[in-house]
Amino acid sequence: MKSPIVYIVVMLVLLSCTRNIASGPVSTITGNWSIVFDSTYSGVGTQNHAAVYTGQPGDYFNFSTDGHVYTKEGNTLDTLKYSLLSASTIIIDSFGLTLNGVPETSNITFQTFSDISVTVHQATIDAPIEPTPAGEFGRKVVLRK
């Protein structure tokens, strides 16, 4: 009678063990990231439309440890402030709407892709799309390290 119980216990132990072959997700946003794409809305009213920028070699989002993010998209350079609130939420100046002086919180997700020769870390920053009388506003940026 013991043998079926022992067999079940052994199977439960074996099935509960997992092996992590790929490295885990990036735990922080700090550092230099290449731009995959940056989508936002521009224009007001009937001129409001989605605009997508595809990253080019040399473009970047560089998140410093002092709360600044330095960006380069084509010939456009910018410096923004950011606050990482948790592993999944971030506030970046000019992402989303700012109401009563409070900027909107964006979601951030990290992914890691691995194959035999390379490990790619990807971050997606997603400011919610907000419909307003002036048009839609929001932003989604996909970055790779």
Side-chain angles (χ1 to χ4, degrees):
M1 198 66 171
K2 282 190 203 176
S3 105
I5 294 173
V6 171
Y7 176 75
I8 291 171
V9 170
V10 169
M11 289 305 295
L12 287 173
V13 169
L14 289 175
L15 291 174
S16 67
C17 295
T18 61
R19 186 173 171 199
N20 187 4
I21 296 172
S23 62
V26 175
S27 61
T28 182
I29 192 71
T30 57
N32 198 41
W33 295 79
S34 300
I35 301 170
V36 177
F37 73 85
D38 184 353
S39 66
T40 188
Y41 288 85
S42 44
V44 177
T46 59
Q47 300 301 311
N48 182 254
H49 64 283
V52 177
Y53 176 80
T54 302
Q56 303 298 315
D59 289 347
Y60 59 82
F61 270 50
N62 188 357
F63 291 86
S64 68
T65 56
D66 68 358
H68 290 91
V69 57
Y70 304 96
T71 67
K72 179 184 179 292
E73 291 184 340
N75 293 327
T76 304
L77 298 172
D78 204 355
T79 302
L80 308 168
K81 289 184 181 179
Y82 80 95
S83 296
L84 195 59
L85 304 177
S86 73
S88 61
T89 55
I90 189 169
I91 293 175
I92 302 177
D93 289 355
S94 80
F95 276 46
L97 296 176
T98 299
L99 299 173
N100 297 325
V102 178
E104 188 166 36
T105 301
S106 299
N107 294 317
I108 184 168
T109 55
F110 295 100
Q111 293 178 299
T112 300
F113 306 98
S114 295
D115 66 19
I116 294 171
S117 62
V118 69
T119 299
V120 177
H121 302 287
Q122 182 168 296
T124 303
I125 302 170
D126 201 359
I129 297 173
E130 302 288 350
T132 71
E136 292 183 326
F137 294 94
R139 190 166 179 179
K140 182 174 185 174
V141 177
V142 177
L143 307 168
R144 285 214 174 133
K145 217 178 217 185

